Amino acid sequence: MSDELQRIMTIDDPYLLLREVTTRLADAQQEVTELARLRRRVVQDLHAQGLSYAQIAAKAGLSRGRIHQIRHTGPAPEGAFLGRGAVTVATPLRRDDERGRTVVAVDDVSSGKRLEDLARSYGLDVASEHVPVTGEIDLNRDGLIVVCGPRMSQAMWDTYAQDPVLHWERAEDGPWTVVDRQTGTVYRSGQDSDPARPYDVGYLGRLPRPDGNGSLLAIAGIHTQGSLGVVQLLANDLNVMWGQVGDRRFSTLVGVEYDPETSEPQSVELLCPLYRHDEETAA
């Protein structure tokens, strides 16, 4: 029996006891989920290195059947790309100056909801919140996924500025663009081109928190359709992306062709490599 369990069992106040037990159960379930994910990842990695299930079982002191079961059941390792245990998905509120009220963009709602569903499918606990119109948000938290561009939040502008490769900036004629400092390529939304076309660019990166004690996942489109494209890429290729960057800091850009009537992505593609920031900084 753990010290924490012994402490809880000594609580006399029934309401405090109920609260403590509920909190502890939630924490324990998250821990069990992440341990199961880690165990499956270890088996997959060893098998990918060429070891048979029988060899892994013999070295680990487990049965071959148990190793095979671990390999094919439980939360998938790539879920850790989004976070561990629990994640919070933050999407922006916007100011409708014409009507004088705060609103949410339909595309932002869709991006947030799809991210939440994706995270739950990997066994993660999910909470949601909004980035207020002031742009103020506490980024110094674990498991944070922020769908918000640099123009809507000074905190996110400062975070994007930490990217050593991909840089947000305004073009001379006004629209936002993203510049690849590695190649010099300037990426521009089709909405801001002449002639305009239903095409947008989305950003995806794992960037440092302001306090330096971890990272957050940042998603933004030059317009809202870009964010939807990033989310679709994650839903389709999370395993591939996890294999390339794991939980390291990185960034990349996504091109999305979308339905002009619904904003729904019709095709998405990577526009550049998944830039590993540790490699870029070292270079």
Side-chain angles (χ1 to χ4, degrees):
M1 185 181 300
S2 69
D3 292 342
E4 179 65 5
L5 179 55
Q6 289 181 344
R7 181 192 69 79
I8 292 174
M9 292 178 67
T10 63
I11 296 175
D12 293 328
D13 184 330
Y15 302 105
L16 176 58
L17 177 60
L18 181 60
R19 186 166 63 248
E20 290 279 341
V21 169
T22 301
T23 300
R24 179 58 183 155
L25 279 171
D27 291 343
Q29 184 56 57
Q30 288 182 8
E31 185 173 334
V32 167
T33 298
E34 290 310 310
L35 286 171
R37 193 189 313 280
L38 179 59
R39 182 175 62 174
R40 181 174 173 181
R41 176 185 172 184
V42 171
V43 171
Q44 288 186 189
D45 288 348
L46 290 172
H47 190 56
Q49 293 170 20
L51 276 72
S52 67
Y53 293 140
Q55 289 172 318
I56 298 170
K59 290 180 178 295
L62 299 170
S63 70
R64 183 185 181 282
R66 184 65 174 135
I67 294 297
H68 189 272
Q69 181 186 41
I70 291 170
R71 170 63 180 82
H72 294 284
T73 60
E78 58 266 28
F81 185 96
L82 301 172
R84 288 186 167 82
V87 299
T88 299
V89 178
T91 53
L93 295 175
R94 300 169 185 267
R95 181 70 180 173
D96 185 341
D97 292 327
E98 182 176 332
R99 299 182 181 181
R101 64 181 184 179
T102 299
V103 298
V104 293
V106 173
D107 292 348
D108 290 335
V109 172
S110 297
S111 292
K113 179 65 167 58
R114 291 171 192 182
L115 279 170
E116 293 171 24
D117 291 343
L118 180 63
R120 289 192 183 97
S121 74
Y122 284 99
L124 296 166
D125 290 340
V126 180
S128 63
E129 66 179 56
H130 290 299
V131 180
V133 292
T134 61
E136 297 175 358
I137 179 173
D138 177 13
L139 300 178
N140 296 321
R141 293 176 283 165
D142 294 335
L144 195 58
I145 304 174
V146 185
V147 184
C148 181
R151 71 180 180 86
M152 302 186 67
S153 166
Q154 183 63 47
M156 288 306 296
W157 170 263
D158 294 340
T159 299
Y160 286 116
Q162 302 302 308
D163 190 321
V165 186
L166 301 175
H167 179 63
W168 289 83
E169 62 180 51
R170 283 190 179 275
E172 290 184 359
D173 56 344
W176 282 93
T177 63
V178 186
V179 179
D180 184 332
R181 292 166 167 165
Q182 187 90 325
T183 64
T185 305
V186 178
Y187 294 95
R188 186 183 183 104
S189 174
Q191 293 185 38
D192 304 321
S193 302
D194 187 14
R197 63 189 182 101
Y199 174 84
D200 200 28
V201 176
Y203 175 103
L204 170 66
R206 184 176 291 113
L207 302 172
R209 290 171 14 181
D211 64 3
N213 295 325
S215 303
L216 60 92
L217 205 61
I219 295 172
I222 294 180
H223 298 285
T224 55
Q225 293 87 350
S227 298
L228 282 171
V230 170
V231 175
Q232 178 160 314
L233 182 76
L234 288 173
N236 293 343
D237 297 326
L238 193 64
N239 184 45
V240 175
M241 301 184 78
W242 168 255
Q244 291 188 37
V245 298
D247 56 6
R248 301 177 184 88
R249 292 173 184 169
F250 78 97
S251 58
T252 192
L253 296 176
V254 177
V256 52
E257 300 276 358
Y258 60 88
D259 185 322
E261 299 296 325
T262 65
S263 292
E264 284 296 313
Q266 295 182 318
S267 65
V268 295
E269 63 174 349
L270 285 176
L271 298 177
C272 63
L274 275 69
Y275 289 120
R276 288 254 304 269
H277 292 176
D278 52 355
E279 295 177 353
E280 298 304 324
T281 302

Short mmCIF file of all heavy atoms in Angstrom, two decimals, residues 3 159 171 248:
data_model
loop_
_atom_site.label_atom_id
_atom_site.label_comp_id
_atom_site.label_asym_id
_atom_site.label_seq_id
_atom_site.Cartn_x
_atom_site.Cartn_y
_atom_site.Cartn_z
N ASP A 3 2.12 5.24 0.31
CA ASP A 3 1.95 6.28 1.33
C ASP A 3 0.76 7.18 1.00
O ASP A 3 0.03 7.62 1.90
CB ASP A 3 3.22 7.12 1.44
CG ASP A 3 4.39 6.33 2.02
OD1 ASP A 3 4.14 5.28 2.64
OD2 ASP A 3 5.55 6.78 1.85
N THR A 159 6.01 32.92 -28.99
CA THR A 159 6.31 31.49 -29.08
C THR A 159 6.74 31.11 -30.49
O THR A 159 7.74 30.40 -30.69
CB THR A 159 5.08 30.66 -28.67
OG1 THR A 159 4.75 30.98 -27.30
CG2 THR A 159 5.35 29.18 -28.77
N ALA A 171 3.70 40.24 -45.77
CA ALA A 171 4.24 40.62 -47.08
C ALA A 171 4.11 42.13 -47.26
O ALA A 171 3.39 42.80 -46.53
CB ALA A 171 3.47 39.89 -48.17
N ARG A 248 10.20 15.39 -29.81
CA ARG A 248 11.17 16.48 -29.92
C ARG A 248 10.52 17.73 -30.51
O ARG A 248 9.46 17.67 -31.13
CB ARG A 248 12.35 16.05 -30.81
CG ARG A 248 13.10 14.82 -30.32
CD ARG A 248 14.19 14.45 -31.30
NE ARG A 248 14.88 13.23 -30.93
CZ ARG A 248 14.51 12.02 -31.28
NH1 ARG A 248 13.43 11.85 -32.04
NH2 ARG A 248 15.20 10.96 -30.90
#
